[in-house]
Coordinates of all heavy atoms in Angstrom, one line a residue:
L38 N -28.9 14.0 98.6 CA -29.0 15.4 98.2 C -28.1 15.7 97.1 O -28.4 16.4 96.1 CB -28.8 16.3 99.4 CG -28.9 17.8 99.2 CD1 -30.3 18.2 98.9 CD2 -28.3 18.6 100.4
S56 N -31.7 28.9 84.9 CA -32.1 28.8 86.3 C -33.0 27.6 86.5 O -33.6 27.1 85.5 CB -32.9 30.1 86.7 OG -34.1 30.2 86.0
E65 N -42.6 18.2 106.9 CA -42.3 19.5 107.3 C -40.8 19.8 107.1 O -40.0 19.3 107.8 CB -42.7 19.8 108.7 CG -42.3 21.2 109.2 CD -42.6 22.3 108.3 OE1 -43.7 22.5 107.8 OE2 -41.7 23.1 108.0
V122 N -52.1 27.9 105.8 CA -53.0 28.4 106.8 C -54.4 28.4 106.3 O -54.6 28.8 105.1 CB -52.6 29.8 107.3 CG1 -52.5 30.9 106.2 CG2 -53.4 30.3 108.5
A131 N -59.7 23.6 113.0 CA -60.6 22.5 112.7 C -59.9 21.3 112.0 O -60.3 20.2 112.2 CB -61.8 23.0 111.8
L164 N -51.1 29.1 101.4 CA -51.8 28.0 100.8 C -53.0 27.7 101.8 O -52.8 27.5 103.0 CB -50.9 26.8 100.7 CG -51.4 25.6 99.9 CD1 -50.2 24.8 99.4 CD2 -52.2 24.7 100.9
T183 N -51.9 39.8 106.9 CA -50.4 39.6 106.7 C -49.9 40.0 105.4 O -48.8 39.8 105.0 CB -50.0 38.1 107.0 OG1 -50.6 37.3 106.0 CG2 -50.4 37.7 108.4
R184 N -50.8 40.6 104.5 CA -50.5 41.1 103.2 C -49.8 40.1 102.3 O -48.7 40.3 101.8 CB -49.6 42.4 103.4 CG -50.1 43.4 104.3 CD -49.1 44.5 104.6 NE -47.9 44.1 105.2 CZ -47.7 43.7 106.4 NH1 -48.7 43.8 107.3 NH2 -46.6 43.3 106.9
A207 N -70.7 22.6 96.1 CA -70.4 23.4 97.3 C -69.1 24.1 97.1 O -69.0 25.3 97.6 CB -70.4 22.5 98.5
R210 N -69.5 27.0 94.5 CA -70.2 28.2 95.1 C -69.3 28.9 96.1 O -69.3 30.2 96.1 CB -71.5 27.7 95.7 CG -72.6 27.3 94.8 CD -73.9 27.1 95.5 NE -73.8 25.9 96.3 CZ -74.1 24.7 95.9 NH1 -74.4 24.4 94.7 NH2 -74.1 23.7 96.8
F258 N -41.1 15.0 92.0 CA -41.0 14.9 93.4 C -39.9 13.9 93.7 O -40.0 12.7 93.4 CB -42.3 14.4 94.0 CG -43.4 15.5 94.0 CD1 -43.9 15.8 92.8 CD2 -43.8 16.1 95.2 CE1 -44.9 16.8 92.8 CE2 -44.8 17.1 95.1 CZ -45.3 17.4 93.9
F286 N -30.4 7.9 91.4 CA -29.1 7.2 91.3 C -29.0 6.5 90.0 O -27.9 6.4 89.4 CB -29.0 6.2 92.5 CG -28.9 6.9 93.8 CD1 -30.0 6.9 94.6 CD2 -27.7 7.5 94.3 CE1 -30.0 7.6 95.9 CE2 -27.7 8.1 95.5 CZ -28.8 8.1 96.3
H296 N -41.1 8.5 81.0 CA -41.9 7.5 81.7 C -43.3 7.7 81.4 O -43.8 8.8 81.3 CB -41.6 7.8 83.2 CG -42.3 6.8 84.1 ND1 -43.6 6.9 84.4 CD2 -41.8 5.7 84.8 CE1 -44.0 5.9 85.3 NE2 -42.9 5.2 85.5
C344 N -65.9 18.2 88.7 CA -66.5 18.7 87.5 C -67.6 19.8 87.6 O -67.5 20.9 87.1 CB -66.9 17.6 86.6 SG -67.6 18.0 85.0
H353 N -69.7 31.3 86.5 CA -69.8 32.5 87.3 C -68.9 33.6 86.8 O -69.3 34.8 86.7 CB -69.6 32.1 88.7 CG -69.8 33.3 89.7 ND1 -71.0 33.6 90.3 CD2 -68.9 34.2 90.2 CE1 -70.8 34.6 91.0 NE2 -69.6 35.0 91.0

Side-chain angles (χ1 to χ4, degrees):
L38 179 71
S56 65
E65 172 47 52
V122 58
L164 187 155
T183 63
R184 307 173 301 284
R210 288 189 291 273
F258 289 70
F286 296 99
H296 183 281
C344 179
H353 185 86

